[in-house]
């Protein structure tokens, strides 16, 4: 840090933001290690998946640490369904590519990682691992400049100071109907103006559950449904038509993530908005999903689709096509913070997904939690992602540090 502090003093008050950044680029800071942390937190009460097919007994996360010779550490998160593989991708494949590099040269390092993985890195776990590293690099840069990440991200619509962002409660995973109604009623009582429930149990049962939820929450609360790819296009259209009278705001992931034609057919057949993209990767994947007219609302996951560097570009593509940006967020507090920084600068940002299902990695991993108040969530304003992890909690949930 000494070299950096001396340079900043030399710069004095006369340096503007760009000059400061250029100045920082000159610093001979080097990456000394890149590590992956697999965390797992058991749940007191297991939660159902989007259908009866899955039950969650714990919540997991893969965090990334980028270490430097300046005693600064950047933190990121990987969103993946294969944590074992992501650990190897981070610590065995990308780590050697990054050792000795200047961590502030983020765009070049993104390219080095992306093209370093070749055809194997176009989609899937390699991009997920890259995403976590990219987020850690942005956290590090924010810590170097002592500024929040939202101030550093390239954007045509960056506010001077972001107002708290509108958020919806994401929950309603499979449970007996009475439990689902009690859960969603709780979100409305909490102050949420929008709620999302899972569907995918079959058209008849979904139709009954959606009707019951609408009747319970009344007409003033926005209701979204999420099938997690559980239907064919024709089934999704049948469900959509059946529940149109219940004023469903959006229908999320109606069909398989790879079925772009199915998405388009569903969107052209229904009056409600179609959302999707949590399983899509990079600007090239979103160029197809958005450019082919599959969705009204794009839902990139910053921890999966290529990190903050790539999400900025995806947000631009969405805005160019008049597609709303509503990020997918189902993770620890690290990924939650990264998603907030990006949402603050996305030109067509509409609403933030706030996962309200139990997750100690969201509520207990950092010294200060991020919470929703009056259906809004604030963007952290500390340096970097603005998250300070609790070492005791980290040790408690650690499966392995690779
Ligand atoms: Ca979803």
């Amino acid at each position: 840090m000494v070299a950096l502090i001396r340079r900043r003093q030399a710069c004095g008050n006369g340096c503007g933001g760009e000059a400061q950044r250029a100045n920082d680029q000159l610093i001979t800071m080097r990456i000394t290690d890149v590590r992956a942390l697999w965390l797992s937190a058991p749940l007191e009460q297991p939660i159902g998946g989007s259908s009866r097919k899955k039950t969650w007994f714990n919540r997991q996360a893969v965090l990334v640490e980028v270490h430097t010779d300046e005693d600064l550490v950047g933190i990121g998160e990987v969103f993946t369904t294969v944590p074992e593989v992501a650990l190897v991708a981070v610590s065995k494949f990308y780590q050697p590519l990054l050792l000795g590099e200047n961590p502030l040269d983020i765009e070049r390092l993104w390219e080095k990682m992306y093209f370093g993985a070749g055809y194997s890195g176009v989609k899937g776990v390699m991009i997920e691992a890259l995403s976590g590293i990219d987020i850690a690099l942005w956290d590090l840069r924010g810590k170097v400049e002592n500024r929040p990440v939202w101030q550093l991200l390239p954007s045509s619509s960056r506010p001077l100071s972001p107002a708290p962002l509108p958020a919806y409660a994401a929950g309603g995973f499979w449970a007996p109907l009475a439990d689902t109604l009690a859960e969603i009623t709780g979100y409305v009582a909490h102050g949420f103006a929008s709620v999302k429930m899972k569907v995918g149990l079959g058209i008849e049962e979904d139709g009954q559950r959606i009707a019951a939820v609408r009747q319970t929450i009344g007409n003033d609360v926005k209701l979204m449904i999420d099938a997690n790819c559980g239907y064919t296009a024709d089934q999704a259209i049948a469900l959509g038509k059946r529940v149109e009278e219940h004023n469903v705001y959006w229908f999320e992931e109606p069909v398989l993530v790879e079925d772009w034609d199915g998405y388009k057919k569903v969107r052209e057949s229904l009056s409600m908005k179609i959302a999707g993209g949590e399983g899509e990767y990079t600007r090239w994947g979103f160029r197809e999903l958005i450019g082919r007219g599959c969705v009204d609302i794009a839902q990139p996951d910053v921890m999966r689709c290529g990190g903050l560097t790539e999400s900025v570009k995806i947000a631009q593509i969405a805005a160019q096509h008049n597609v709303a940006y509503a990020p997918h967020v189902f993770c620890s507090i690290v990924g939650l913070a990264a998603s907030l920084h990006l949402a603050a600068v996305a030109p067509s940002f509409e609403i933030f997904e706030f996962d309200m299902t139990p997750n100690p990695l969201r509520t207990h991993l950092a010294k200060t939690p991020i919470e929703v108040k009056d259906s809004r969530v604030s963007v952290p304003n500390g340096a970097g992602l603005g998250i300070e992890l609790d070492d005791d909690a980290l040790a408690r949930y650690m499966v392995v540090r690779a």
Side-chain angles (χ1 to χ4, degrees):
M1 271 320 280
V2 176
L4 171 60
I5 291 164
R6 283 208 192 104
R7 261 181 210 286
R8 292 193 127 183
Q9 285 169 343
C11 186
N13 294 329
C15 285
E18 292 304 316
Q20 178 69 63
R21 241 165 279 155
N23 193 46
D24 285 347
Q25 293 283 352
L26 297 174
I27 297 162
T28 54
M29 192 178 185
R30 296 292 168 217
I31 294 173
T32 55
D33 205 358
V34 181
R35 307 197 67 178
L37 289 60
W38 182 6
L39 309 182
S40 177
L43 294 175
E44 285 174 16
Q45 279 279 331
I47 53 175
S50 52
S51 69
R52 293 188 190 89
K53 290 178 203 153
K54 187 172 169 126
T55 302
W56 304 75
F57 294 98
N58 62 1
R59 293 293 295 265
Q60 301 194 58
V62 174
L63 303 188
V64 173
E65 290 174 346
V66 174
H67 294 258
T68 67
D69 57 1
E70 295 271 8
D71 281 341
L72 279 177
V73 179
I75 299 166
E77 180 167 357
V78 177
F79 187 69
T80 186
T81 47
V82 286
E84 304 89 337
V85 187
L87 291 187
V88 174
V90 171
S91 62
K92 300 291 185 206
F93 184 80
Y94 290 122
Q95 188 255 26
L97 291 183
L98 297 173
L99 287 182
E101 289 281 6
N102 180 348
L104 303 178
D105 204 358
I106 298 176
E107 186 90 26
R108 189 179 64 77
L109 295 184
W110 195 98
E111 298 259 325
K112 187 176 185 184
M113 289 190 282
Y114 183 75
F115 291 107
Y119 293 164
S120 299
V122 174
K123 293 199 175 198
V125 65
M126 295 305 287
I127 289 282
E128 291 163 358
L130 182 160
S131 302
I133 296 170
D134 179 82
I135 292 167
L137 292 173
W138 280 101
D139 179 50
L140 192 60
R141 179 168 171 176
K143 287 169 174 168
V144 167
E145 297 199 29
N146 196 26
R147 292 163 72 189
V149 165
W150 68 265
Q151 281 187 10
L152 303 174
L153 294 171
S155 171
S156 57
S157 63
R158 185 190 305 109
L160 289 173
S161 175
L165 304 174
Y168 67 91
F173 284 57
W174 188 84
L177 180 58
D179 295 350
T180 299
L181 294 177
E183 178 195 339
I184 291 180
T185 303
Y187 300 148
V188 175
H190 185 285
F192 278 103
S194 313
V195 297
K196 189 170 80 185
M197 65 183 286
K198 298 290 184 184
V199 295
L201 298 165
I203 294 162
E204 184 59 33
E205 190 169 351
D206 281 346
Q208 290 172 10
R209 288 170 69 90
I210 291 166
V213 168
R214 173 52 83 199
Q215 193 180 13
T216 303
I217 63 177
N219 291 325
D220 294 338
V221 177
K222 257 186 193 171
L223 176 61
M224 293 85 114
I225 59 173
D226 180 1
N228 279 115
C229 315
Y231 285 122
T232 65
D234 287 343
Q235 290 169 333
I237 291 164
L239 175 63
K241 287 194 182 301
R242 173 166 171 161
V243 300
E244 242 162 15
E245 62 175 309
H246 301 306
N247 193 18
V248 170
Y249 180 61
W250 81 46
F251 189 169
E252 177 172 327
E253 287 205 300
V255 298
L256 287 177
V257 66
E258 55 270 54
D259 186 8
W260 288 324
D261 289 344
Y263 258 103
K264 196 159 180 245
K265 188 175 174 187
V266 173
R267 184 169 174 237
E268 286 170 354
S269 304
L270 296 177
S271 59
M272 64 189 65
K273 292 177 189 287
I274 303 301
E278 68 182 74
E280 197 50 82
Y281 299 85
T282 75
R283 77 200 86 149
W284 296 285
F286 279 90
R287 184 180 69 178
E288 299 302 321
L289 189 73
I290 292 170
R292 288 169 184 250
C294 300
V295 292
D296 302 283
I297 291 147
Q299 301 175 299
D301 188 312
V302 68
M303 295 150 278
R304 163 174 278 164
C305 70
L308 288 160
T309 304
E310 195 69 356
S311 295
V312 165
K313 294 167 185 170
I314 293 166
Q316 291 290 347
I317 294 172
Q320 285 162 12
H321 289 79
N322 296 313
V323 163
Y325 177 96
H328 173 255
V329 189
F330 190 75
C331 54
S332 88
I333 193 165
V334 177
L336 171 60
S339 304
L340 282 167
H341 286 278
L342 195 280
V345 302
S348 63
F349 169 76
E350 178 172 330
I351 194 163
F352 193 84
E353 174 166 28
F354 204 92
D355 165 26
M356 288 294 285
T357 60
N359 184 1
L361 302 177
R362 183 186 70 245
T363 49
H364 289 84
L365 191 58
K367 290 183 178 168
T368 310
I370 295 174
E371 289 167 341
V372 172
K373 200 174 168 217
D374 297 329
S375 216
R376 290 184 174 266
V377 56
S378 296
V379 183
N381 224 9
L385 294 177
I387 294 296
E388 198 181 345
L389 297 184
D390 181 321
D391 288 339
D392 291 341
L394 203 56
R396 191 159 64 243
Y397 300 129
M398 188 80 69
V399 178
V400 62
R401 192 186 217 119

